[in-house]
Amino acid sequence: MAARDLDAVIVGAGFAGLYMLHRLRGMGFRARVLEAGSGVGGTWYWNRYPGARCDVESVQYSYQFDEVLQQEWQWTERYAAQPELLGYANHVADRFDLRRDIQFNTRVKRAAFDEAQGRWVLETADGARVAATHCIMATGCLSSPNLPQFEGLESFAGTRYHTGYWPKEGVDFTGKQVAIIGTGSSAVQSIPIIAAQAKHLTVFQRTPNYAVPAHNAPLDPEYVRTIKADYPALRARAKQTMTGIDFDYSDQAALETSPEARTREYERRWRHGGLWFLGAYKDLMVDQEANDTAAEFVRGKIRERVRDPEIAELLAPKNTIGCKRLCVDIGYYEAFNRLNVTLIDVSQSPVEAITPRGVKAKGREHEVDAIVFATGFDAMTGALLKIDIRGRGGLALGDKWREGPRAYLGVAMAGFPNLFTITGPGSPSVLTNMLPTIEQHVDWIAESIAHMRARKFGRIEPSLAAEDGWVAHVGEAAGRTLRYTCGSWYLGVNIPGKPRVFMPYIGGFPKYIQKCNEVAAAGYEGFVLS
Ligand code: NAP
C-alpha cells in the first residue's frame, strides 16, 4: 500500500498495536504498523528473561473483542509464562491476518505533523518515511529499558543482560557466576530460576520489595469451562472494578476489623495468591496505619520463608506495601535459602562501579561471568520521548513534557493534532489489567476517527483547557493515595532528572471509562475538531 494512502500509522505491534490495526481495518481504514522488533508481542517479545510471566491471571489477561478467539484459545497455566503469551500474540496476528500490514525491524526515530498537508510524517532508522492522517503510538508503558550508567559499565569483560531486552536464543547460566542488580518484579521472577541454574548468584538489592505468592498451577479444565460458559459476564464484572480485574474487593476497612479477623483474611488471600491480596481492605492504599497491618503480615511471612534471620530482615521491606508495584512470586524468598545465593544490601552505599571482572560494592569486588540488569524501565514516557515527536509549529514533545507528561485523558495532547497514545500517561494503564485497558483505548480512538470521517473533519486535538483540567484531576487523584509516597517508577523517581509526576490515572477503570464515554457522547467534548 502506498504510504500516502494511509489513514493511520501505528507504532508498535504489541497487544495495543495489534488490536488497533485490527479495529481500524474492520472499520474500513487503511493502517500500517511499524515495529522495531522482528515479531509481534511487544512486552512479551522483549522480556524473555527466565521466569517472565504475567501477574494477572491468564483468563483475564487476554482480549475480549472476539468471542471466538476467547473461546478457542487455551491457556495452560493460572499465570501464563512469556512463551505462551508470545504464542498468543502470534496466534492473534495470524488469526486476523495482521502481518501483511506490519512492517517489522523498523524503528521510528521521528514523527512530525505536517501542517500544510494535515498529516503525520514518520521517519524510520533507515531513513524511510511513512505518512498518514493519524499517528497512533502503541509504544507500551514499560518498553524503554533503564540501564543505570554505573561507572565502568563498558569495561566489564563478561556478558551483560537486561531483563527487558533479553536475547531471543535464551541464556544458559549453568556453571556461571552471575550477579543481578535490582529486586523489582523482573528480578523477583528471574532470581529463583537463575539461582537454580548458576554456580553462584549474587543479588544486589537497593530496596526490598513485597512479594505475595502466585500459587501458579496448571489451569483446572472445569474452572476454564465455567469461565468460558459466560465469558462476557466475567468481562463485565471486571470493568466495574478499579483495576479492571474481576476480583472480590472488600468494602471493609482494615482499621474497623479486629486484628484476629484481619489476620484470617490476610491468610486467606495469601493462600489464594496473587495481587488479590491488596483487595483485602478498602483502606489499605489510603491509610498508612491500615497499610501497616498488611505490610507487617507480609513481613511475617518473609521471616517464615527465609531461614537466616539477618537475610530475612534485609529482604523485609519497611515501606508502604503496594506503593511500588506489588510483586507476585514463585519461590523468590526461598531462593535466598540456597547456599549458592548471596544477598548484598546496597541501600546505604550504592553499587560503586562495574569493573572488568564484576561488580564493586561496599569496597569489595564481586567477580562474575555475567551481570543481569533487572533495573526496570523509563516508564510511560520513555518510549515516546525516544522518538523525536513534533507537533504544530515544530513543538517538541520533550519540551511540552519538560515538567512532566500532560495529556487529555492520557490519549491525546494539545499541540499534537491527530496523534493518539494508547495507555499513555494520564490513563489508568499500568494500574489496571493491560488487556481490557488497551481494548478500551483502542475502541475509543477508532470510534473518534470514525466520528471524524462521518462528519468530514480532518483534525482532532484537545484544547489546552481540557488538557489542563485532566492533568490537574490526575494529580489530585494521585495525591489522595499512599502510592504517591514512595520513590516508584509511577512517579519517575527511578530515572535521574525525570520530573516527579505520578503518571498513571489512579481514579479507577470504571470512572475513567465513564469519562471517556461522556466525552465522546458530547461530541468529543474538550477536543477541537476542524
Ligand atoms: P523495577 O520494578 O523498576 O525494579 C528495578 C529494580 O532495579 C529495583 O529494585 C531498583 O531499586 C533497582 N535499581 C535500579 N537502578 C539501580 C541502581 N542504580 N542501583 C541499584 N539498584 C537499582 O523494574 P522491573 O522489575 O523490570 O519491573 C517494572 C515493572 O514492570 C513492574 O513494576 C511491573 O509493573 C512490570 N512487570 C510485571 C511483571 C509481571 O507481570 N509479573 C514482571 C516484570 C515486570 P529501587 O527500588 O531502589 O529503585
Side-chain angles (χ1 to χ4, degrees):
M1 181 186 297
R4 67 176 173 279
D5 294 327
L6 291 175
D7 294 304
V9 59
I10 301 160
V11 185
F15 284 129
L18 290 178
Y19 179 47
M20 191 77 242
L21 172 62
H22 175 66
R23 189 75 163 82
L24 286 176
R25 259 202 210 157
M27 296 169 103
F29 290 109
R30 291 147 302 177
R32 184 191 293 175
V33 178
L34 306 180
E35 165 58 53
S38 64
V40 300
T43 283
W44 305 107
Y45 172 90
W46 299 104
N47 287 263
R48 298 169 191 245
Y49 61 83
R53 70 173 72 237
C54 172
D55 61 2
V56 172
E57 297 191 17
S58 35
V59 293
Q60 299 206 49
Y61 190 83
S62 52
Y63 289 121
Q64 58 191 285
F65 68 82
D66 188 281
E67 180 59 16
V68 180
L69 171 67
Q70 66 178 358
Q71 289 294 334
E72 78 190 356
W73 183 260
Q74 303 289 342
W75 295 108
T76 62
E77 291 178 274
R78 180 176 178 190
Y79 297 99
Q82 176 272 333
E84 192 169 32
L85 288 154
L86 188 58
Y88 177 65
N90 276 290
H91 171 75
V92 171
D94 292 335
R95 194 183 192 294
F96 298 101
D97 185 24
L98 299 177
R99 289 178 211 278
R100 65 186 156 87
D101 285 321
I102 306 176
Q103 199 174 308
F104 293 106
N105 303 305
T106 304
R107 186 168 285 284
V108 175
K109 299 300 256 189
R110 192 161 195 273
F113 187 64
D114 175 337
E115 288 184 61
Q117 302 286 323
R119 290 187 318 184
W120 281 90
V121 181
L122 277 66
E123 211 174 291
T124 61
D126 61 3
R129 286 175 171 219
V130 179
T133 310
H134 297 276
C135 175
I136 303 170
M137 294 297 181
T139 40
C141 296
L142 293 157
S143 49
S144 178
N146 165 41
L147 182 60
Q149 290 309 296
F150 294 105
E151 191 191 318
L153 183 64
E154 299 303 328
S155 71
F156 183 56
T159 324
R160 269 169 28 188
Y161 304 97
H162 192 290
T163 47
Y165 195 71
W166 202 258
K168 268 191 196 161
E169 62 280 9
V171 181
D172 183 3
F173 288 115
T174 308
K176 303 268 196 252
Q177 307 270 2
V178 183
I180 184 164
I181 300 180
T183 49
S185 301
S186 303
V188 164
Q189 289 186 327
S190 53
I191 282 170
I193 294 173
I194 299 175
Q197 203 179 54
K199 187 169 174 202
H200 194 92
L201 176 65
T202 308
V203 179
F204 293 85
Q205 170 186 272
R206 189 165 67 181
T207 314
N209 253 309
Y210 294 94
V212 295
H215 298 314
N216 186 44
L219 273 174
D220 172 9
E222 193 45 46
Y223 168 70
V224 176
R225 254 196 303 280
T226 318
I227 284 178
K228 288 192 172 177
D230 197 359
Y231 232 138
L234 176 136
R235 305 296 197 177
R237 284 194 305 275
K239 284 202 182 99
Q240 299 305 313
T241 73
M242 291 286 282
T243 59
I245 307 175
D246 179 33
F247 274 167
D248 114 50
Y249 292 90
S250 168
D251 56 5
Q252 310 268 305
L255 297 182
E256 289 165 10
T257 308
S258 72
E260 298 72 28
R262 235 171 17 217
T263 304
R264 274 199 304 279
E265 180 61 6
Y266 289 144
E267 194 63 57
R268 185 174 81 88
R269 288 185 182 245
W270 183 268
R271 278 202 303 273
H272 179 85
L275 298 172
W276 188 59
F277 183 80
L278 280 181
Y281 294 105
K282 66 175 183 186
D283 50 351
L284 292 185
M285 292 319 301
V286 290
D287 186 313
Q288 189 63 56
E289 201 185 334
N291 188 281
D292 290 343
T293 65
E296 189 46 37
F297 177 86
V298 176
R299 281 193 287 268
K301 289 291 184 188
I302 296 170
R303 291 178 194 120
E304 281 170 23
R305 291 170 73 182
V306 180
R307 274 191 230 116
D308 182 327
E310 275 178 38
I311 296 175
E313 241 12 78
L314 289 177
L315 288 168
K318 309 293 178 286
N319 56 2
T320 302
I321 186 170
C323 187
K324 291 190 176 194
R325 168 87 171 199
L326 183 64
C327 301
V328 178
D329 86 285
I330 302 178
Y332 174 62
Y333 294 109
E334 288 76 7
F336 293 89
N337 293 332
R338 298 177 65 102
L339 295 176
N340 70 333
V341 174
T342 307
L343 177 66
I344 309 285
D345 168 31
V346 290
S347 60
Q348 303 306 319
S349 49
V351 169
E352 287 159 37
I354 304 297
T355 69
R357 288 181 303 193
V359 182
K360 194 171 171 208
K362 294 175 155 174
R364 189 189 146 197
E365 186 182 41
H366 300 264
E367 288 186 27
V368 290
D369 305 303
I371 305 175
V372 175
F373 293 90
T375 44
F377 301 89
D378 183 354
M380 304 208 69
T381 55
L384 290 164
L385 291 174
K386 262 189 186 166
I387 303 171
D388 179 11
I389 302 178
R390 304 274 168 159
R392 275 192 292 111
L395 174 64
L397 185 64
D399 287 334
K400 181 178 169 80
W401 283 5
R402 200 155 296 283
E403 307 295 317
R406 313 184 57 76
Y408 184 38
L409 305 176
V411 76
M413 288 162 283
F416 295 79
N418 296 2
L419 179 79
F420 294 103
T421 50
I422 303 177
T423 64
S427 75
S429 59
V430 291
L431 299 175
T432 54
N433 181 2
M434 286 306 286
L435 269 285
T437 237
I438 282 171
E439 284 181 301
Q440 183 272 343
H441 253 197
V442 166
D443 288 340
W444 192 91
I445 293 167
E447 279 150 27
S448 68
I449 295 175
H451 175 90
M452 290 171 66
R453 176 176 60 182
R455 286 159 186 78
K456 303 205 177 347
F457 287 121
R459 289 190 197 184
I460 182 168
E461 179 186 338
S463 71
L464 202 52
E467 182 179 282
D468 286 346
W470 183 252
V471 170
H473 175 61
V474 170
E476 280 156 22
R480 286 197 292 270
T481 83
L482 295 174
R483 285 199 201 250
Y484 201 68
T485 59
C486 66
S488 70
W489 58 256
Y490 297 125
L491 270 163
V493 176
N494 62 328
I495 304 296
K498 191 164 172 171
R500 200 180 168 115
V501 170
F502 195 86
M503 295 178 285
Y505 175 55
I506 205 168
F509 198 34
K511 203 165 163 191
Y512 179 76
I513 297 175
Q514 189 189 343
K515 172 71 182 173
C516 289
N517 290 346
E518 283 168 8
V519 165
Y524 294 86
E525 190 180 25
F527 285 90
V528 179
L529 289 98
S530 55

